[in-house]
Structures are given as structure tokens and as C-alpha cells.
Amino acid sequence: MRKNLLVVISIFFLVCSFQQTQAGNKSQKNFVPGTEWLDNNGKPINAHGGGVIFHKGVYYWYGEHKIEGKSEATFADGGIHCYSSKDLINWKDRGIVLSVDYTNENSDIAYGCILERPKVVYHEKSKKFIAYFKLYLKGIGYEVSNVGVAVADKPYGPFTYSHKFLGGGSLKGSGDFSMFKNTDGTVYHFAVRKPDKTFVMGKLQPDYLYAMPNSYQAPNGVTKHTEAPAVIYRKGKYYILGSGTSGWKPNAARSFVADSIQGTYTDLGNPAVGINPHNGLGPEKTFGGQISYIIPVQDKKDAYIVMIDIWEPENPIKGGYIWLPLTFKNDKPIIEWMDSWNLSFFDKK
Ligand code: GAL
């Protein structure tokens, strides 16, 4: 009797674990913004404040790896986590491709540093993948913001930490940023300068490893305190999407357009439309999130996805994602809420 019961219990647990694995491997057909997003192992994706590149038929998503259970944002950062995908919906875990350093306290990326908003750019000449991130040294906090630089031979890493520089032409550096590769291969560093929060842009050197300090200027027309910038070039115009400044708390998104990269930029207002039913938040709070990046979708005409983070500063690993199409109405960007969608949306536009 007892033996039979044991057999029944074992079978029950076996079936449960099998089902869990299935859930993880099951391919998903839609983006479901604002809900838990699982990777190929059935684990919630841990890549916050990230960006995506496309290389040889594969998309790579790089984001902040947050550490479980740390309530202080300052100690939540574990490095850069990478995932890969062919369809932008189903993501394979490629692991932590740059870890903070747990052994050397004197390292720039020693555990306890703040390592945020990683973005990767491919350098054609050297065939290297270069990762940039906001880097606040351990014990210094948000006062001085460096751009950290790490380099890899493969898109899925591993990345090796190389060095840091102060962006913005300021001794306090610059905070939230976008690395934008222009049509001629020049990479521009758009960033909010510290400490005065002027929005600036500068050029990287041809090797993409450092910014040219004297190249920074404030493009006309972009509002001060524009954080979380994401930049695209579309139909002869440059678009900057971003947020206001309120730390981890969401605020209204903003957008700007210009005919040349230096500006003058015209303010096109808040691109968000609709309500996130999961939290009841609309355009005034960007659905409860903050923009991180705009992905140009391959093989679709005029197709872009906006990556938005839902921050959970009390336990950052629980932070979520809102990915929505970026569309244009009379050349004005629109990010309209959708409960569930997939790339066929771009065929119907
Ligand atoms: C946000 C910024 C995040 C993080 C946060 C800290 O505005 O976009 O990357 O730095 O502030 O309060």
C-alpha cells in the first residue's frame, strides 16, 4: 500500500517537472507586453535596460543581468546577460557574457559597481563586438558616470572588459545614452551630460573605443533632462525617443525629429498611445516603463520595435519588458499599446 502511494507520488512529480520543461521549451507565437517573458529554459529573461543587434541571421539581446534578492539597486548589477533569437519572440539564454568582478575589489567592474544600459555595436574593420555601458565605480554611486567598454570576438561573447571613458566632454561624465551608427559608419554617442543634464552628442573615434572629447555639442531642440535616448534613422530623418528624469519611476516618453543628425530637432511630443491593462498606466507614465532601445526589424518594410523596461527597484530581477511596434503617422512616431501581437503586424500596416 505504502509502496503504491510512493510510486503514485513519484509519477506525479515526474509529470510536473516534465510539464515545466515543456513550458520552457514551447515556442511562443506572440509578444505579450507587460507579462512574464520566459527564455528557452523556462526562466524569466534577465536582460534589463538592453539593446539588440542583428548579426548573420540572428538577433542578440544584451541587457543588465540583475541579481536575485538584492533590494538595493546599487548592488543589483551582475554584468551583461545575452540571449539570441531568430524571431525576436523566442530567446535562447547565452549566459552572462560580461560578469562583474567578484574577486578583485580594485577592478573598475568590481561587484558593487553600477553597470547599466549595455548596448553593443559591431566594428566592421576589426570584426569586434564592442559593448558600452553606464559604469559607476563601486562606492562612488551616481555622482560620476563613465562609459564602460568591453570587447568580444563573437556576438555571444565572452566580452573582456577593456577600459572606461568620461562621455559628454564633462569631468562628471554622462548618464543614459545611445550609441548610434550613422549611414557612413560613424558612431555617435547621444547622452545626458552630468551634472547639468544637458542632452549632448559626440563622435566616437574610428576604432569605436573612445569618444572624441571635443566633438560633443548640444543639438538644438532636444529638451534638457532627456534620459534613456534611443535613436533611429528613417526615410532621411533622425528620430530620438526618450524619457524625462525621475529615476526608476516612470514618466512620459518624448520624441524628436531632425533632418540632420546635429539638429535642429523638432519636439513631436509623447509617442505613447493607450493603456497597459496590467497596471492601468497610459502615456503619462509610458505604460509604467522607460524606453531603452529601438530594434529595426529585418526583412520587413519600415518595421521597428520599441524596447521598454518596467523597473522594479525593490527587487530588480523582477523587472519586466514591454515591446511594442513603433509606427509613424505623418512621420510622427507612435507607440500604441497592444495586449498581444507578432511580426505579421508589419505586413498589415
Ligand atoms: C533612470 C535611468 C536608469 C537608472 C535609474 C536610476 O532614469 O534611466 O538607467 O540609472 O535612473 O535611478
Side-chain angles (χ1 to χ4, degrees):
M1 185 63 192
R2 231 191 114 127
K3 209 172 156 195
N4 283 351
L5 191 67
L6 269 177
V7 170
V8 170
I9 292 174
S10 320
I11 291 176
F12 174 76
F13 280 111
L14 247 171
V15 169
C16 286
S17 67
F18 179 68
Q19 275 178 342
Q20 265 172 23
T21 329
Q22 290 291 295
N25 291 333
K26 206 166 65 189
S27 89
Q28 303 169 56
K29 296 209 162 41
N30 290 314
F31 297 100
V32 192
T35 63
E36 190 175 59
W37 198 349
L38 304 180
D39 68 11
N40 62 312
N41 297 316
K43 279 192 169 171
I45 292 175
N46 189 351
H48 310 266
V52 168
I53 63 162
F54 183 76
H55 188 76
K56 296 193 174 160
V58 180
Y59 293 96
Y60 296 89
W61 174 359
Y62 308 91
E64 299 162 18
H65 175 83
K66 297 294 195 185
I67 300 166
E68 175 79 61
K70 301 286 178 186
S71 59
E72 289 290 324
T74 323
F75 296 102
D77 293 313
I80 303 178
H81 203 135
C82 174
Y83 295 83
S84 63
S85 171
K86 286 196 169 163
D87 64 6
L88 290 162
I89 295 178
N90 295 283
W91 292 91
K92 180 178 173 187
D93 187 3
R94 309 302 292 247
I96 298 171
V97 291
L98 177 75
S99 173
V100 295
D101 193 329
Y102 292 96
T103 53
N104 177 6
E105 275 203 9
N106 299 319
S107 160
D108 284 353
I109 56 168
Y111 171 62
C113 73
I114 299 171
L115 193 162
E116 290 179 342
R117 295 189 170 275
K119 303 286 175 285
V120 172
V121 175
Y122 181 58
H123 187 253
E124 268 92 6
K125 273 202 193 118
S126 64
K127 297 192 164 40
K128 302 271 186 208
F129 296 83
I130 308 183
Y132 309 88
F133 44 89
K134 277 165 69 183
L135 174 61
Y136 302 88
L137 300 183
K138 180 183 173 164
I140 296 190
Y142 283 108
E143 176 79 13
V144 179
S145 181
N146 302 279
V147 178
V149 182
V151 181
D153 292 324
K154 300 272 191 296
Y156 43 85
F159 283 80
T160 305
Y161 177 73
S162 170
H163 62 277
K164 59 185 188 311
F165 65 83
L166 287 169
S170 159
L171 290 176
K172 300 274 182 190
S174 57
D176 286 7
F177 71 98
S178 169
M179 288 298 179
F180 172 74
K181 196 192 272 187
N182 207 1
T183 42
D184 66 355
T186 307
V187 173
Y188 288 83
H189 178 216
F190 288 84
V192 51
R193 184 171 69 198
K194 298 224 162 199
D196 66 344
K197 301 259 175 153
T198 296
F199 190 78
V200 294
M201 55 175 282
K203 276 184 201 173
L204 296 193
Q205 290 177 177
D207 61 11
Y208 295 179
L209 293 176
Y210 286 90
M212 298 196 268
N214 297 329
S215 68
Y216 283 93
Q217 51 166 292
N220 281 331
V222 182
T223 322
K224 237 183 151 182
H225 297 234
T226 292
E227 291 206 328
V231 183
I232 55 161
Y233 175 71
R234 173 190 175 264
K235 297 191 179 171
K237 293 183 195 297
Y238 294 87
Y239 289 89
I240 303 174
L241 270 60
S243 73
T245 304
S246 49
W248 301 113
K249 295 202 184 81
N251 54 54
R254 46 181 80 169
S255 63
F256 306 90
V257 66
D259 292 327
S260 77
I261 198 159
Q262 285 83 6
T264 297
Y265 283 85
T266 304
D267 190 337
L268 294 180
N270 187 343
V273 176
I275 303 280
N276 173 355
H278 306 292
N279 57 18
L281 299 174
E284 282 315 301
K285 302 282 180 212
T286 317
F287 315 120
Q290 188 180 27
I291 291 170
S292 178
Y293 193 77
I294 301 167
I295 309 167
V297 180
Q298 302 298 311
D299 303 324
K300 301 266 178 199
K301 244 178 106 193
D302 203 23
Y304 302 91
I305 297 175
V306 186
M307 294 169 68
I308 297 173
D309 290 284
I310 303 173
W311 300 116
E312 295 287 350
E314 292 310 314
N315 189 10
I317 196 172
K318 294 276 181 230
Y321 314 96
I322 295 171
W323 285 25
L324 289 167
L326 174 67
T327 55
F328 293 84
K329 209 178 208 166
N330 301 326
D331 287 343
K332 180 190 175 331
I334 313 257
I335 310 168
E336 190 166 0
W337 179 268
M338 279 193 277
D339 290 345
S340 173
W341 69 285
N342 59 44
L343 298 182
S344 67
F345 169 88
F346 296 111
D347 306 329
K348 293 178 224 141
K349 266 199 307 151

